Every structure is written in structure tokens, then in C-alpha cells.
Amino acid sequence: MIHIKMLGGFHVDVDGRSADGMLGKSPKGILLLQYLMLHPGESVPARRLMEIMWPNESSASPEGALKTLISRLRTILTQIHPTLTGCLITARGGYRWESRPGVSVDLEEFDRLAAQLENTEELTGEARHLYRSVLQLFVGELLQDQECPAWAKPKADKVRLTYLTLVEDYLRLLEQEGDAQEMISVCRTALDAQPFNDGLHLRLTEALMTARRDQEALRQYQHASNLTSGLNRESYDANVREYYAQLMRSEQTINDTLDELYNGLVSDVDTAGALVCDSHIFREMYHLQKRCLERLGADILLGVVMVSGMEDQPLQLDRTMTGLIDVMRSNLRRGDTVTRQNVNQIAMLLPMASEAQGQMIMERIKRGFYQRFPNSDCRLSCRFALLNADRRVGASARKTE
């Protein structure tokens, strides 16, 4: 399958592989191709193409230059994929582009979808699908990764206006359906392609208000107001500005936020034992605990447990590591943190623990592990490092087998 993209930039992909490099051998050929693709099915006279390709140049044989350009372009298209050559058709006195089976041009698909959605008044399942397809296609301006030629700007303006009209039509239908969540998603997707559009920022703020996502609505309002593109609060209607003012001065808002936060925290499942997390959270937990313990002048004990003797049994090793994490979770305290460091090592943070206490904890882990895996051939070893409150690091090592 050959995909030609003109929205957000000009790219040609063949079976998932880029052919941009091959097309780049002929910059003039790319411009010629783009011009014909902006007029699909239309036979463009050779004279007009010569004026487009060489607007301010005099040539002894412009017809010959155009034929040479067409010939070279066809050679490149054949090298990319033979099907493409058949899309570039010689007409009487000119040339035209016709997409063949197996070739898709996103601009042609966009125009087709826009025609299907014209005068849509009911949000059926099919209409939703078509609107979402438009959102997926329009990832940016027409030919935005290059200096847009003057002859492409009218089409670029028309496509942008059509896109914004379709987005607004979709938002209007979603508003009638009361689907605020989809409105939020649509606005954010559209803003990825049109980040400085005042109307989209307004619509996103309104959708967040409707969904009662007050804090997000505030942040969105402030973000849009602070954009350097010239957006200002006067571009928002009076209802949005009044909503913002009410939220800013409403004591009830902060009470609601506190209640929501409190209920969310106390309703979380509080499991016993150590916290098991990924390495990123492990580092964050260290920095959080370090700041707390520095005020108390206490230390943090860092430990690494390694499993050896199972190097030739990767599946069994993985099951053993999972079991060891469970044993460590249940044998460590609340406030301790555990993470799987790599294929056969597990790290642990033990706040307010000494090296001697760490060795006792390790013996307890070892007993629990061998009770769970009585026939295991592996060996456990551990090394500790004492992270002092004054940031000095001391270390000791001891193997337990």
C-alpha cells in the first residue's frame, strides 16, 4: 500500500517505509507532483506547468525542460513503486494525477470525508466514525514542512477552514448529545493541529466546565490567556470570564477540592508491608524520605539482593524473582520500598535502619524465601549501603547463602 501525505507535511510511504529520500533527488519533480495532486483528475496544460515550475526564468526550450522533468520524475516514481508511474498520466497538451488502486492521498481522503459530512444534522455511529477520521487525517497545515508555494496557499486556506468547520459541527452535535468527554477529546486533538486557534481554546474551556472538571478548566483558561500568539482574555466570551472569576473567589471550590482529595486518599486500599514499585518511583521515594529523615538526623539503608545459580533457567528465574518480591513485601515494614532492579537483582530502601538491622531483616527474608521455595537451587546474597543524613555514603557487604 502506498500512502501519500500532504497534510502536516509531504511524505510518501510504501508498505510502511519512507520514500522521501528518493523523491528528494528531484525538488522540482516534488513541486510538480504536489501541484498535480492539488488538482486530481484535472488535465493541467503544459503551458501552465511551465509557468508554475519556472515562473521567473527564461528558457530557450521550456517544453523540452518540462518533458525532461516529467521523464526524470517518472523514473523516480518507477523506482519507488511501478504503480506510482501509472498515476502520472499524459493528457492531450498536458498532464494529470489519478490515484490508482493501492495508492491513497490524505488530501483526497479529506475532501471525500468533508463531502460526506456536509449538512450532517444527526450524530449517528457512522457520522462519529467519519468525524474521527477527519481528526486523524488533519495533523497539520497543507505542506507545512516546507515553504508553501503561492499556488498552494488558496487550497491550504480552504482545507484549514473546512477542517475547523467540521470540528465545530462535530462539537455542536456532541453538545446536543451531552457528550462533554468526547468534546474534550476532540478539542485537544484539534489543538494539536491548530494550537493557536482562539475558538478551539474557548470550546475546550467550555467542555471542561460542562464536565465539571473545574481545575482543568482553570488551567486551560490560564494557558490560553498566556499564549504568546496574541490570545487574550477579551477573546473569551463573558460567560467563560465570569465562570473563571467565580471559581477564583469561591470558597466552596477549595472545600470541594479538599473533600474530594480526602475521600480519595482514605478510600485507597492500604496494604501491609513494603511498597513495591518501578525504579522511577523508587528514586522518587528515596528523595522524599531523604528530605524527611534529614530533619531528624536519621539514615536510610539501601540494600540489593541478588539471586544466583539460575543463569541457565530464565523462566524459572523470573518466577523465583516474583516470589522473592512477595516474600520481601511481607517481611519488610510499611515505609520500606522495593523495586526489581534487573533480571536477578532487587533493591530495597529501609528508612531509619542500621546495618545490623539490615542483616537481621535479610535473615528473615532468607528464611521466608526458602520456606516458599524449599527445593530451590539458587543462592541469595545481599549488599547494604548506609545513606547518611549528611549525604555521606558508607557501605558494607555480606553474603548470605
Side-chain angles (χ1 to χ4, degrees):
M1 188 67 181
I2 303 170
H3 298 282
I4 301 176
K5 303 174 184 177
M6 303 186 75
L7 299 172
F10 186 73
H11 303 285
V12 177
D13 295 329
V14 179
D15 296 329
R17 296 184 178 183
S18 174
D20 294 351
M22 297 184 67
L23 272 175
K25 297 175 182 178
S26 177
K28 282 283 188 185
I30 289 178
L31 288 176
L32 176 62
L33 204 58
Q34 292 171 347
Y35 187 87
L36 293 175
M37 286 179 181
L38 290 183
H39 305 81
E42 175 186 339
S43 294
V44 182
R47 176 57 57 184
R48 191 198 308 174
L49 291 177
M50 286 183 271
E51 293 172 354
I52 292 295
M53 294 298 104
W54 301 279
N56 300 312
E57 300 176 23
S58 59
S59 172
S61 177
E63 296 87 352
L66 178 61
K67 289 180 180 179
T68 299
L69 178 61
I70 291 288
S71 175
R72 186 180 182 195
L73 178 58
R74 281 193 168 126
T75 299
I76 294 174
L77 292 177
T78 301
Q79 292 172 347
I80 294 173
H81 198 285
T83 302
L84 285 174
T85 311
C87 299
L88 181 56
I89 299 173
T90 301
R92 181 176 296 179
Y95 303 90
R96 71 174 183 269
W97 173 271
E98 287 186 5
S99 296
R100 296 300 178 91
V103 178
S104 68
V105 180
D106 62 352
L107 186 58
E108 294 180 9
E109 179 67 7
F110 178 88
D111 288 339
R112 184 185 67 79
L113 291 170
Q116 287 184 264
L117 286 167
E118 191 173 4
N119 301 321
T120 299
E121 296 297 334
E122 183 180 356
L123 193 57
T124 62
E126 181 184 2
R128 278 182 185 262
H129 174 72
L130 295 176
Y131 279 119
R132 288 171 178 170
S133 297
V134 168
L135 290 169
Q136 290 177 349
L137 278 176
F138 191 93
V139 295
E141 297 283 337
L142 180 69
L143 304 178
Q144 73 173 24
D145 63 346
Q146 65 189 65
E147 183 177 353
C148 189
W151 43 262
K153 288 180 179 178
K155 181 63 174 181
D157 292 340
K158 180 180 179 181
V159 171
R160 183 192 313 110
L161 179 60
T162 300
Y163 173 72
L164 292 173
T165 300
L166 290 171
V167 169
E168 179 56 35
D169 289 345
Y170 190 24
L171 290 172
R172 174 178 53 81
L173 294 171
L174 288 169
E175 191 171 24
Q176 293 174 2
E177 296 282 327
D179 194 344
Q181 298 302 326
E182 178 74 357
M183 291 179 69
I184 293 169
S185 177
V186 168
C187 288
R188 286 181 168 155
T189 300
L191 280 168
D192 286 340
Q194 294 283 291
F196 302 116
N197 185 276
D198 294 30
L200 290 174
H201 282 287
L202 170 61
R203 284 304 239 154
L204 177 54
T205 306
E206 291 175 335
L208 289 166
M209 290 161 48
T210 302
R212 300 307 306 168
R213 291 159 64 168
D214 294 342
Q215 297 304 315
E216 290 181 70
L218 278 174
R219 288 194 295 270
Q220 168 58 27
Y221 179 90
Q222 292 163 340
H223 167 70
S225 298
N226 293 330
L227 282 179
T228 58
S229 64
L231 289 177
N232 57 66
R233 298 183 184 188
E234 297 306 317
S235 67
Y236 285 90
D237 65 22
N239 290 335
V240 176
R241 285 185 277 112
E242 177 59 23
Y243 175 85
Y244 174 80
Q246 288 177 1
L247 284 181
M248 290 299 292
R249 63 173 177 259
S250 172
E251 183 177 343
Q252 187 61 38
T253 297
I254 193 170
N255 291 334
D256 291 344
T257 301
L258 179 61
D259 290 343
E260 180 182 355
L261 181 60
Y262 174 84
N263 292 331
L265 290 173
V266 299
S267 63
D268 286 343
V269 177
D270 189 12
T271 57
L275 169 68
V276 178
C277 59
D278 62 29
S279 58
H280 174 74
I281 299 299
F282 186 84
R283 289 192 295 271
E284 293 299 320
M285 291 298 297
Y286 162 70
H287 290 295
L288 177 63
Q289 292 175 341
K290 180 172 71 70
R291 285 192 289 268
C292 296
L293 295 177
E294 281 177 350
R295 292 196 296 268
L296 302 174
D299 304 324
I300 302 176
L301 192 64
L302 173 67
V304 176
V305 181
M306 183 173 72
V307 174
S308 56
M310 304 184 70
E311 291 77 5
D312 58 345
Q313 306 174 58
L315 295 179
Q316 183 61 33
L317 174 59
D318 189 65
R319 288 192 289 267
T320 299
M321 295 296 290
T322 301
L324 178 56
I325 287 178
D326 289 340
V327 171
M328 293 178 69
R329 178 194 286 117
S330 60
N331 281 276
L332 294 175
R333 308 161 299 175
R334 291 187 182 185
D336 296 338
T337 308
V338 173
T339 189
R340 185 164 177 177
Q341 189 70 13
N342 53 44
V343 68
N344 70 331
Q345 295 180 350
I346 298 171
M348 54 183 169
L349 279 178
L350 311 177
M352 302 183 70
S354 66
E355 295 177 70
Q357 289 172 322
Q359 296 295 346
M360 295 172 59
I361 291 170
M362 189 57 210
E363 291 298 321
R364 189 166 67 243
I365 291 173
K366 187 175 64 171
R367 286 195 300 271
F369 175 79
Y370 286 117
Q371 286 175 1
R372 179 163 182 169
F373 299 97
N375 300 318
S376 176
D377 295 329
C378 71
R379 299 181 302 278
L380 300 185
S381 59
C382 181
R383 184 179 177 89
F384 289 107
L386 191 61
L387 306 175
N388 303 117
D390 61 2
R391 299 184 182 180
R392 294 191 307 272
V393 177
S396 66
R398 177 181 176 185
K399 287 188 177 180
T400 57
E401 298 181 347

